[in-house]
Amino acid sequence: KLAEEGRVRIRAIRREANDDLKRAEKDGDIPEDDARKMQDHIQELTDQFIEKIDKALEEKEKEIMNF
């Protein structure tokens, strides 16, 4: 349950960051190319953190099964 809540929160943070980027791009604060690069980087970070959660969950499940 905690793992799923973590995934949901990470995705919400990604969505907020992407919305901020779109707003900044629309307002002319950042160029479209930079916004795209930042979105790609945000997605990479999202994937990394979700992978960490999945690994921690897997380890915890193994620990419980061996108990």
Side-chain angles (χ1 to χ4, degrees), residues 1-55:
K1 181 177 176 175
L2 288 177
E4 185 57 32
E5 289 173 2
R7 287 187 206 101
V8 169
R9 185 62 192 138
I10 289 170
R11 291 183 190 121
I13 292 168
R14 176 190 61 197
R15 187 172 40 256
E16 291 169 15
N18 283 335
D19 288 347
D20 289 345
L21 276 174
K22 288 176 187 175
R23 198 172 307 110
E25 180 185 351
K26 184 179 178 183
D27 293 344
D29 294 335
I30 57 173
E32 183 179 345
D33 290 344
D34 288 348
R36 187 72 200 141
K37 288 176 189 175
M38 289 180 207
Q39 285 178 336
D40 290 344
H41 184 65
I42 290 167
Q43 184 60 48
E44 289 172 14
L45 290 172
T46 300
D47 293 343
Q48 287 174 11
F49 281 104
I50 288 178
E51 184 178 337
K52 287 181 181 185
I53 289 172
D54 291 342
K55 284 182 181 180

Side-chain angles (χ1 to χ4, degrees), residues 51-62:
E51 184 178 337
K52 287 181 181 185
I53 289 172
D54 291 342
K55 284 182 181 180
L57 176 61
E58 184 179 325
E59 289 176 18
K60 192 64 174 175
E61 287 174 341
K62 284 180 185 178

